[in-house]
Amino acid sequence: MTTLTVVMLTLAVAMVTLAVSASAQRPPRTDIGALITGAGYPLEEHYVTTADGYKLLMQRIPRKGAKAVYLQHGLVDSAATWLVNEPNESLGFILYDAGYDVWFGNARGNGQSWEGPPGCDPSEACFWAFSWDQMASLDMPAMVAYVRATTGSGKIGYIGHSQGTMMAFAGLEPGDAASIAVVAALAPVARVYHVDLGPFKLVADLPTKWVYEILGHGEFNLDPATVSKLLPAVCEVEKSLCNEIVCLVAGCDSANLNKTRFDVLFEYFPSPTSVQDIIHFKQGVNTETFQAYDYGSVSANVAHYNRTTPPLYNLAAFAGKVGLFSGGRDKLADPTDVAWLKSQLPLDAVVMDKIYPNLGHADFVWGLNAHTLVYPDVLALLKAADWE
Ligand SMILES: *[C@@H]1O[C@H](CO)[C@@H](O)[C@H](O)[C@H]1NC(C)=O
Ligand SMILES: *[C@@H]1O[C@H](CO)[C@@H](O)[C@H](O)[C@H]1NC(C)=O
Ligand SMILES: *[C@@H]1O[C@H](CO)[C@@H](O)[C@H](O)[C@H]1NC(C)=O
């Protein structure tokens, strides 16, 4: 069986899952709050409405009056990502224990809230007409504003992983710098041109039209139960692809994951997103720039952007302060692309730049040594930030 066949099979399974799961007005697909209460921490849940009418569920471990931090998960992920390890190993709990008021964001379409604008429920293609552009321009600002308004904070801290860092790099307008004390960018991603990941590169090579024909224009949902069943089969026939998937999902240093915790992990991961979000990443692998979604034709781009090509995001205009936390073995936030990102940001924006040679993409959230290796640096970044 060729690698391509395996990928096509995976996509086919994703499609079947899609058909099964397309029903309206579902409750949150997973109970992330249970991870918080189960560990004995206080929980609040808040619904935040975006300017275009999506409702986003945020979980909070409240510490009223304390400095507020907003954590934003990555691609096909959810707020659970900050909470799946033991409390003293998971960044969400560690931040609370360190005295912060901790807020967890969920991007549109990730299964935590299924409510879209009127007439666009999840069974309609219009619900899924988004990529990380809209997470950056609409979800992130709505959640930042909500957290600030609810807590009365002048400034909050922003912690992103992977796509959650793209949302900051693409979405923070120069005027927002005043409301963000500092951005901690874990496995930072802007352009993904050097992505070194078989499945991504293979999909990137397929014509966009085909991918849309296979997957449709709606939800991209790799059902966790399907993935945990499919993965051993993929590993049986394609050792190197299997390694790459495990490396992406779990970190490349297998000694660094708690395999006995996999059942908890796969209860929450992966989360759904839109096919358009996946296509936007596919486009990213094919371009050397950090740019908005390409609608595929001059007329469609003009209709959306009033220009023939997608606009570029201007990293040189980034007005905030950021700490970069990157892994030498990260195949998605490839070290070459992270170096490029750093070179594009204003010199005085990068206040911390840590490279951990052995860490892969997911190690920053799930790695067993993240709490000893990375999180003390994140806490130091927050502590040194200007919150006034
Ligand atoms: C984390 O907590 C467990 C018990 O809940 C304990 O055995 C372990 O030593 C703790 N680890 C750290 C790094 O504090
Ligand atoms: C791994 O997960 C199991 C099950 O939750 C837990 O009992 C154990 O303490 C974890 N090991 C480490 C090193 O965190
Ligand atoms: C579209 O772009 C043209 C030329 O750049 C400009 O003159 C026009 O005002 C723009 N239209 C809108 C609606 O922004």
Side-chain angles (χ1 to χ4, degrees):
M1 201 189 269
T2 66
T3 308
L4 185 62
T5 320
V6 173
V7 170
M8 295 319 259
L9 268 178
T10 312
L11 294 182
V13 170
M15 247 172 49
V16 172
T17 315
L18 177 84
V20 172
S21 64
S23 66
Q25 300 310 331
R26 293 156 289 188
R29 203 192 66 187
T30 54
D31 185 359
I32 294 175
L35 286 171
I36 295 173
T37 53
Y41 287 74
L43 167 72
E44 281 182 15
E45 297 194 313
H46 295 257
Y47 281 93
V48 178
T49 306
T50 66
D52 62 342
Y54 284 79
K55 281 209 168 73
L56 310 174
L57 177 57
M58 293 188 86
Q59 288 82 18
R60 175 192 191 188
I61 313 180
R63 189 186 282 288
K64 289 179 183 149
K67 287 173 183 159
V69 286
Y70 157 52
L71 281 68
Q72 182 54 54
H73 65 78
L75 178 65
V76 296
D77 208 349
S78 71
T81 205
W82 311 104
L83 301 159
V84 284
N85 276 337
E86 296 292 311
N88 55 11
E89 299 164 344
S90 302
L91 186 57
F93 297 118
I94 289 172
L95 287 165
Y96 178 83
D97 290 340
Y100 292 95
D101 181 8
V102 192
W103 293 75
F104 304 89
N106 287 291
R108 60 184 60 198
N110 87 336
Q112 286 301 298
S113 161
W114 293 107
E115 206 171 323
C120 281
D121 72 38
S123 60
E124 310 287 337
C126 59
F127 180 91
W128 299 102
F130 64 80
S131 74
W132 54 260
D133 287 331
Q134 287 69 33
M135 299 176 197
S137 64
L138 294 157
D139 295 355
M140 184 275 289
M143 289 188 277
V144 167
Y146 185 92
V147 172
R148 289 182 64 223
T150 308
T151 58
S153 307
K155 286 187 180 180
I156 66 172
Y158 184 113
I159 299 174
H161 176 237
S162 182
Q163 180 184 260
T165 71
M166 301 173 96
M167 288 163 65
F169 294 132
L172 282 178
E173 303 278 340
D176 298 324
S179 58
I180 304 290
V182 71
V183 175
L186 308 179
V189 181
R191 90 175 180 189
V192 288
Y193 185 60
H194 287 94
V195 106
D196 181 20
L197 202 69
F200 257 81
K201 284 208 290 213
L202 276 171
V203 174
D205 286 344
L206 300 174
T208 299
K209 230 179 83 190
W210 288 18
V211 183
Y212 270 130
E213 264 166 33
I214 297 166
L215 294 177
H217 282 264
E219 174 180 4
F220 179 82
N221 184 5
L222 291 171
D223 175 60
T226 311
V227 172
S228 55
K229 259 188 254 138
L230 200 69
L231 201 54
V234 171
C235 293
E236 191 83 0
V237 290
E238 277 291 341
K239 200 112 196 100
S240 68
L241 177 61
C242 165
N243 284 343
E244 289 191 14
I245 294 175
V246 171
C247 181
L248 171 68
V249 170
C252 309
D253 183 0
S254 59
N256 194 26
L257 27 129
N258 188 347
K259 293 211 174 73
T260 58
R261 213 61 198 158
F262 263 31
D263 51 340
V264 179
L265 184 57
F266 280 109
E267 203 178 304
Y268 291 93
F269 181 90
S271 294
T273 186
S274 64
V275 172
Q276 186 171 320
D277 192 29
I278 299 293
I279 299 280
H280 195 176
F281 271 94
K282 161 185 154 39
Q283 292 172 351
V285 181
N286 295 329
T287 49
E288 280 187 79
T289 53
F290 181 40
Q291 66 179 46
Y293 177 76
D294 188 340
Y295 284 89
S297 71
V298 165
S299 60
N301 282 330
V302 167
H304 281 93
Y305 302 124
N306 192 26
R307 45 179 282 166
T308 57
T309 55
L312 303 183
Y313 288 112
N314 184 8
L315 290 164
F318 185 82
K321 300 291 179 202
V322 59
L324 302 173
F325 303 86
S326 61
R329 299 171 71 185
D330 192 330
K331 303 204 164 213
L332 212 158
D334 183 275
T336 316
D337 288 332
V338 176
W340 177 84
L341 163 64
K342 191 183 171 196
S343 76
Q344 301 296 303
L345 290 166
L347 269 185
D348 65 348
V350 181
V351 293
M352 193 181 272
D353 180 21
K354 297 274 181 185
I355 300 172
Y356 310 91
N358 284 320
L359 294 194
H361 200 66
D363 286 320
F364 288 90
V365 276
W366 305 334
L368 281 181
N369 58 5
H371 72 288
T372 49
L373 203 57
V374 182
Y375 301 159
D377 294 336
V378 174
L379 290 173
L381 177 78
L382 291 174
K383 193 152 187 238
D386 177 11
W387 293 77
E388 294 307 318

